[in-house]
Amino acid sequence: MRHSVLVPGSKRLNPPEVLDRTAISPIADKAYWPTIEVRSGRFCPCPGPASSSFFDPMHTVTEKIFIPAETRSLDTADPTRKIPGDEGRQVQEGTALCLSGGGYRAMLFHLGALIRMNELGFLKKLNRVSSVSGGSITAGILGLKWRKLIFDGRGVAANFAEEVTHPIQGLAGATIDVGCIARGLFLPGSIADYLARAYHEHLFGNATLQDLPNEQSGPRFVINASNVQSGALWRFSQPYMWDYRVGKVKEPIVSLSRAVAASSAFPPVLSPMTLDLRPFRFEPNSGQDLQRPPFTEQAVLTDGGVYDNLGLETAWKRYEQILVSDGGGALEVEEHPHRNWFAHAYRVLFLINNQVGALRKRQVIRSYKDGSRSGAYWGIRTNIADYELPDAIRFDRKRSLALSAVPTRLARLDKATQEGLMEWGYAVSDAALRKHVVSRENGVASLCPSKGN
């Protein structure tokens, strides 16, 4: 089977080069190429990646395969799931920050990035912060303290360290997962309930979702969990909590500790978190197909990263500029995997999460390249040299890889590891932001986030 394919803006492939039907797929991925011109073949009905055709080399025709706009947008790299109401929605100007999961490792990595964003005056420009799992711990304290931040004329909060950095570092010095598991196993109440109590004690106190900033006072903070019953995303925010299948509750009085615990209830040990919905009134007809008992009486929730491990869902569909901070850890090789069911299940869950995260990452970066979104991605496993920024902060590659291997736990980290994670988040976000987003007039940073703002 020989034919040539001519794509606008590409080189021409002619016989005797052989291009089989599956090779059209990566070409069709480019949304900015509206047609593919195919020569030396006859169209015959057959499912295919770019058209419903295959080619009979015994006949010669010239055809242009038009790739419909909706297909092009899907091929481009939309990393989110379409739900009712998305049809025809246009993204708007604005900037959203997405914070991934990864336990204390991600919590501190994101903190370093927030410190650098604050220094650049970029923090105050955010319209939305969407988070899952460990990222929700960082987002939760930032949202809670937002009204206390004192921004100067440059958009820099001079009291960021006092209000945000120090409380998060305090939590990072305490192990909470083991105690929660032990209490949940041997005392009344679930493990997730005790996790919420730990967050209450160390970070959030009696704060509720209504203590997060409203649209007039700051960005919207969306803390994401996964609904085990509906298979959809459960969103906690100040104006509402919502599962598109179950329905929407406006201005919910839910403790911030409980919302963050649901978002970070990593299975199988910290999950599930049950939320009693009976005190709440659902907005009529706000759920697609499950707005009825038992779904409106109790929500069974697990880690937000199960559904969306980068926290993209509630940001990607809304804003044109997307910043992604990825604190997800590396999948280490295991020469002799555990055979017991619990350890094996944990390994398989981590493998699935790692693969889904890698796919979403590729889709995000491809979207930056094809222009469907602007922004920047930085990850804990990123090689800072890849940004090709001459004045990037020096950070040893071996050290950054060692930091990416910090276990995904809510367990005490020593001071050196805490500062290392913060410094790495600071350095790599600085490179990503100055390369792709922020004017270079801000100059080069010094590497001391734990001592600065």
Side-chain angles (χ1 to χ4, degrees), residues 94-99 114 117-118 121-130 142 146 215 217-221 319 321-323 378 433:
T95 302
L97 172 65
C98 303
L99 303 179
L114 291 178
M117 292 178 69
N118 181 50
F122 205 78
L123 198 62
K124 199 171 188 297
K125 298 177 182 179
L126 295 175
N127 299 95
R128 179 164 297 192
V129 179
S130 176
L142 177 65
W146 188 269
E215 299 287 313
S217 60
R220 178 180 295 183
F221 287 81
Y319 292 105
Q321 187 171 72
I322 306 293
L323 308 178
W378 59 88
L433 290 167

Side-chain angles (χ1 to χ4, degrees), residues 21 42-48 51-56:
R21 189 167 59 83
R42 182 179 69 180
F43 284 110
C44 303
C46 176
S51 70
S52 297
S53 319
F54 72 91
F55 299 94
D56 181 350

Side-chain angles (χ1 to χ4, degrees), residues 180-199:
C180 293
I181 294 168
R183 293 183 182 91
L185 289 175
F186 298 108
L187 297 175
S190 71
I191 294 172
D193 290 335
Y194 286 105
L195 181 61
R197 293 184 190 183
Y199 288 145

Side-chain angles (χ1 to χ4, degrees), residues 335-358:
E335 292 186 0
H336 305 287
H338 294 283
R339 300 301 177 91
N340 70 78
W341 69 268
F342 181 84
H344 182 71
Y346 187 88
R347 173 71 175 176
V348 170
L349 281 171
F350 197 83
L351 192 154
I352 294 170
N353 185 70
N354 184 270
Q355 286 298 98
V356 173

Side-chain angles (χ1 to χ4, degrees), residues 3-317:
H3 57 273
S4 65
V5 176
L6 179 63
V7 180
S10 75
K11 72 175 185 177
R12 182 168 175 173
L13 306 175
N14 291 307
E17 294 178 56
V18 177
L19 184 64
D20 65 22
R21 189 167 59 83
T22 59
I24 296 175
S25 183
I27 296 174
D29 278 344
K30 303 298 185 181
Y32 42 84
W33 291 334
T35 62
I36 295 178
E37 184 176 314
V38 183
R39 292 177 180 159
S40 299
R42 182 179 69 180
F43 284 110
C44 303
C46 176
S51 70
S52 297
S53 319
F54 72 91
F55 299 94
D56 181 350
M58 300 303 294
H59 295 78
T60 300
V61 297
T62 299
E63 291 283 351
K64 285 188 176 181
I65 305 172
F66 176 69
I67 305 174
E70 63 272 16
T71 305
R72 294 203 303 271
S73 66
L74 290 174
D75 283 346
T76 297
D78 189 340
T80 62
R81 175 183 180 181
K82 300 299 181 185
I83 64 174
D86 287 345
E87 299 83 1
R89 173 182 287 178
Q90 299 295 317
V91 295
Q92 62 192 52
E93 289 187 5
T95 302
L97 172 65
C98 303
L99 303 179
S100 79
Y104 282 179
R105 179 192 62 247
M107 176 184 76
L108 292 164
F109 177 77
H110 299 324
L111 177 58
L114 291 178
I115 291 169
R116 184 56 181 144
M117 292 178 69
N118 181 50
E119 291 178 349
L120 292 169
F122 205 78
L123 198 62
K124 199 171 188 297
K125 298 177 182 179
L126 295 175
N127 299 95
R128 179 164 297 192
V129 179
S130 176
S131 62
V132 296
S133 200
S136 291
I137 306 173
T138 307
I141 198 66
L142 177 65
L144 178 60
K145 297 301 184 78
W146 188 269
R147 291 187 178 94
K148 294 185 178 181
L149 295 178
I150 303 171
F151 292 99
D152 61 21
R154 299 172 299 140
V156 178
N159 60 337
F160 187 90
E162 175 187 349
E163 297 294 342
V164 179
T165 303
H166 296 164
I168 292 176
Q169 286 183 300
L171 177 64
T175 297
I176 62 175
D177 53 6
V178 172
C180 293
I181 294 168
R183 293 183 182 91
L185 289 175
F186 298 108
L187 297 175
S190 71
I191 294 172
D193 290 335
Y194 286 105
L195 181 61
R197 293 184 190 183
Y199 288 145
H200 176 278
E201 176 185 347
H202 290 277
L203 279 183
F204 303 117
N206 295 322
T208 73
L209 294 174
Q210 298 311 304
D211 292 303
L212 299 174
N214 57 32
E215 299 287 313
Q216 290 71 44
S217 60
R220 178 180 295 183
F221 287 81
V222 184
I223 296 169
N224 298 287
S226 305
N227 190 336
V228 178
Q229 297 158 293
S230 69
L233 198 69
W234 186 279
R235 315 171 188 209
F236 293 98
S237 64
Q238 188 271 338
Y240 59 78
M241 63 179 179
W242 185 44
D243 175 322
Y244 83 92
R245 300 188 66 186
V246 176
K248 181 183 294 185
V249 175
K250 289 188 174 180
E251 299 180 348
I253 307 296
V254 175
S255 74
L256 194 52
S257 299
R258 202 159 186 81
V260 173
S263 181
S264 58
F266 188 79
V269 288
L270 300 179
S271 174
M273 162 67 77
T274 57
L275 184 65
D276 185 3
L277 300 175
R278 288 172 298 179
F280 299 105
R281 181 180 179 275
F282 281 82
E283 185 178 337
N285 303 315
S286 58
Q288 182 190 30
D289 59 340
L290 299 179
Q291 193 166 344
R292 56 180 171 79
F295 305 100
T296 55
E297 295 177 340
Q298 184 181 73
V300 181
L301 307 176
T302 190
D303 193 296
V306 172
Y307 184 94
D308 175 10
N309 51 10
L310 290 179
L312 292 168
E313 188 83 15
T314 59
W316 192 267
K317 299 175 182 179

